């Protein structure tokens, strides 16, 4: 069984299209599934979506839990073998997307997390739907905390895949205690994938499977991403004085690109 989880925060118009495509994608599948949606205290009424799609399980948070904590809470409600995290602003553009992702992870025990290739609304590859795991990427990461992305079309073991479409084994998610509560929005999946790789478990990027992702529909990208960068650097990079100075310099440079 697979639990499909979606966090809604002021993204109802995207969520409606996401659900339409989701149920088409799940039509005729030979596995059991449940769809759990958290209205994350954004004030939107999703009752009409519940009426239109009675199979969804709808929950409401009293406060905004953020991305990671929201998914942690939804994950605690079920016992399915796999968790599929979906952003409400994704759109299914191919058939049997979920089934194909599920088949890959089920048939390879070395894979703990898998994600598809993401494309923009213009149909172009979405930058940073994954990060490369190679010698250059390793050196870049350990020296600067920055990631290396390339557009690719072959399945690869990567540093991380985007949380927009993120399939993970429940056993692994539980072992890692889910997402780190110190991240509110952005960077949670990067942190979780790093902890996954430290266990010797692979992160699979599967570009043969394509999903459209609009991106940044909830607002506040610059603020939250800046905070996540600081949290990630503090948690995972060396703490000597030179490293702190270098991290601060890179953070200031990097945040200029978030405007």
């Amino acid at each position: 069984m697979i639990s499909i989880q979606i966090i809604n925060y002021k993204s109802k118009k995207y969520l409606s299209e996401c659900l339409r495509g989701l149920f088409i994608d799940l039509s005729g599948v030979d596995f059991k599934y449940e769809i759990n949606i958290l209205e994350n205290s954004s004030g939107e009424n999703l009752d009409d979506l519940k009426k239109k799609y009675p199979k969804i399980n709808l929950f409401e948070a009293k406060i905004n839990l953020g991305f990671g904590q929201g998914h942690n809470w939804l994950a605690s409600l079920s016992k399915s073998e796999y968790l599929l995290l979906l952003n409400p602003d994704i759109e299914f553009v191919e058939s049997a997307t979920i089934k194909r992702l599920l088949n890959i992870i089920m048939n390879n025990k070395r894979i703990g997390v898998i994600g598809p290739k993401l494309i923009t609304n213009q149909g172009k590859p979405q930058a940073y739907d994954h990060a490369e795991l190679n010698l250059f990427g390793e050196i870049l990461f350990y020296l600067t905390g920055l990631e290396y992305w390339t557009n690719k079309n072959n399945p690869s073991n990567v540093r991380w895949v985007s949380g927009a479409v993120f399939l993970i084994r429940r056993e692994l998610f539980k072992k890692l205690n889910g997402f780190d509560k110190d991240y509110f929005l952005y960077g949670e999946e990067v942190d979780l994938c790093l902890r996954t790789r430290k266990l010797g478990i692979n992160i699979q990027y599967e570009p043969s499977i394509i999903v459209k992702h609009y991106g940044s529909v909830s607002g506040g990208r610059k603020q939250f991403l800046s905070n996540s960068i600081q949290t990630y650097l503090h948690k995972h990079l060396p703490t000597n004085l030179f490293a702190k100075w270098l991290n601060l310099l890179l953070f200031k440079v990097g945040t200029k690109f978030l405007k």
Side-chain angles (χ1 to χ4, degrees), residues 42-248:
S42 72
E44 291 189 320
N45 189 326
L46 305 183
D47 289 345
D48 57 326
L49 293 182
K50 174 65 175 177
K51 291 180 180 179
K52 187 174 183 179
Y53 304 106
K55 288 186 177 181
I56 66 175
N57 302 311
L58 186 60
F59 306 92
E60 294 186 28
K62 294 183 179 179
I63 60 172
N64 187 345
L65 299 174
F67 177 89
Q69 288 296 85
H71 277 298
N72 287 349
W73 187 79
L74 284 178
S76 71
L77 301 178
S78 62
K79 297 182 179 179
S80 59
E81 189 175 357
Y82 298 93
L83 301 174
L84 175 61
L85 282 54
L86 297 179
N87 275 14
D89 60 337
I90 64 101
E91 183 179 332
F92 292 92
V93 295
E94 299 178 335
S95 61
T97 296
I98 296 174
K99 183 176 181 178
R100 287 184 289 152
L101 285 171
L102 192 57
N103 283 341
I104 293 172
I105 197 171
M106 288 177 64
N107 291 318
N108 191 334
K109 294 183 178 181
R110 293 182 60 85
I111 299 175
V113 177
I114 186 172
K117 185 171 189 173
L118 301 180
I119 60 173
T120 67
N121 192 35
Q122 291 74 39
K124 297 180 179 180
Q126 186 170 74
Y128 299 104
D129 60 352
H130 72 283
E132 295 294 335
L133 183 63
N134 53 32
L135 181 58
F136 177 77
E138 289 284 350
I139 294 173
L140 183 67
F141 170 73
Y142 283 110
L143 288 181
T144 69
L146 301 177
E147 299 286 6
Y148 175 53
W149 174 88
T150 60
N151 179 30
K152 62 195 316 175
N153 297 308
N154 296 318
S156 299
N157 181 21
V158 296
R159 186 180 297 282
W160 52 262
V161 293
S162 172
V165 183
F166 192 90
L167 178 59
I168 183 171
R169 298 180 189 274
R170 170 182 290 281
E171 181 181 8
L172 172 61
F173 193 79
K174 184 178 180 180
K175 186 173 185 177
L176 295 171
N177 294 316
F179 291 110
D180 189 324
K181 62 180 179 59
D182 290 336
Y183 298 87
F184 184 78
L185 183 64
Y186 299 115
E188 301 93 338
E189 73 272 43
V190 179
D191 178 276
L192 186 142
C193 285
L194 176 59
R195 290 185 281 133
T196 295
R197 290 188 293 106
K198 286 182 177 179
L199 296 175
I201 300 173
N202 293 344
I203 312 297
Q204 179 83 358
Y205 177 64
E206 185 52 63
S208 69
I209 302 174
I210 297 174
V211 176
K212 183 184 292 186
H213 180 220
Y214 290 90
S216 302
V217 302
S218 297
R221 172 178 166 80
K222 182 179 179 181
Q223 172 195 349
F224 293 122
L225 186 52
S226 297
N227 292 340
S228 291
I229 291 173
Q230 292 184 79
T231 299
Y232 190 77
L233 292 176
H234 176 75
K235 181 177 178 181
H236 294 297
L237 292 187
T239 57
N240 59 62
L241 290 177
F242 174 75
K244 288 183 177 180
W245 174 83
L246 180 61
N247 293 345
L248 178 61

